[in-house]
Amino acid sequence: MEINTSIKKHLIIFLDALLLFFIFAGPSVQAAAWHQGTPSALRGNWQLAAKTEAGPNGKAIIYYTLSFSKTAISTSATINGKSLEYRIRPVDYQRISKNTYLVRNHASNGNESLLTINQVNKKKMIVGNGTKNTNKMAYYKVGK
């Protein structure tokens, strides 16, 4: 199945915006309790609800995914079964309450960005930007 040009352009714009966010967004936070990697409670694949968008070749089903491994965050978009992925490393985190974490990414140019992640339960988390937790989105666990 071929991904049409319109969807490719939207996907490239999404990935570029996400890259710029991780490079320039979010204020620096100074804290003594930063730990390398990602919290084990967040590891795995988390997905936004599917969106259906119209394109020149018909409707496309799009999923956006955040994946947490021990040392990295990766983001991807899946359009009609085909995925594009962007991996971000290194990361570290700070636990700010029982189920809430700040996850920090360091760009090679010295900038950093923050995500505030509230794990509602084992199947749902709310992800926001920076320490002010803006632009919140609900992600749901994929798989085990």
Side-chain angles (χ1 to χ4, degrees):
M1 182 184 286
E2 185 71 26
I3 297 177
N4 66 48
T5 307
S6 174
I7 294 174
K8 283 182 185 176
K9 287 179 184 177
H10 283 90
L11 186 57
I12 289 170
I13 290 169
F14 165 76
L15 293 174
D16 286 345
L18 189 61
L19 173 62
L20 289 173
F21 162 74
F22 279 109
I23 291 174
F24 296 110
S28 283
V29 172
Q30 299 298 323
W34 287 99
H35 308 281
Q36 289 184 337
T38 60
S40 58
L42 300 181
R43 292 182 193 153
N45 298 317
W46 299 82
Q47 193 172 72
L48 279 172
K51 296 180 181 186
T52 303
E53 294 184 10
N57 295 335
K59 292 182 179 180
I61 299 171
I62 302 173
Y63 298 92
Y64 296 103
T65 305
L66 277 177
S67 297
F68 293 88
S69 70
K70 186 174 183 176
T71 60
I73 299 173
S74 59
T75 59
S76 65
T78 303
I79 301 171
N80 289 339
K82 295 189 178 195
S83 294
L84 290 174
E85 185 174 8
Y86 179 75
R87 186 169 296 275
I88 302 165
R89 297 185 184 122
V91 294
D92 54 8
Y93 73 96
Q94 179 184 25
R95 185 175 176 181
I96 57 175
S97 69
K98 183 177 179 182
N99 294 315
T100 305
Y101 304 90
L102 288 177
V103 177
R104 177 172 64 179
N105 171 258
H106 301 277
S108 59
N109 63 3
N111 290 330
E112 63 183 44
S113 63
L114 289 172
L115 294 176
T116 299
I117 301 172
N118 179 9
Q119 187 176 18
V120 176
N121 56 45
K122 290 184 179 184
K123 299 284 185 184
K124 181 180 179 182
M125 70 178 183
I126 306 296
V127 179
N129 296 334
T131 56
K132 294 186 179 184
N133 202 14
T134 59
N135 301 323
K136 297 178 190 177
M137 293 181 271
Y139 282 80
Y140 300 89
K141 186 81 169 186
V142 178
K144 294 183 178 183

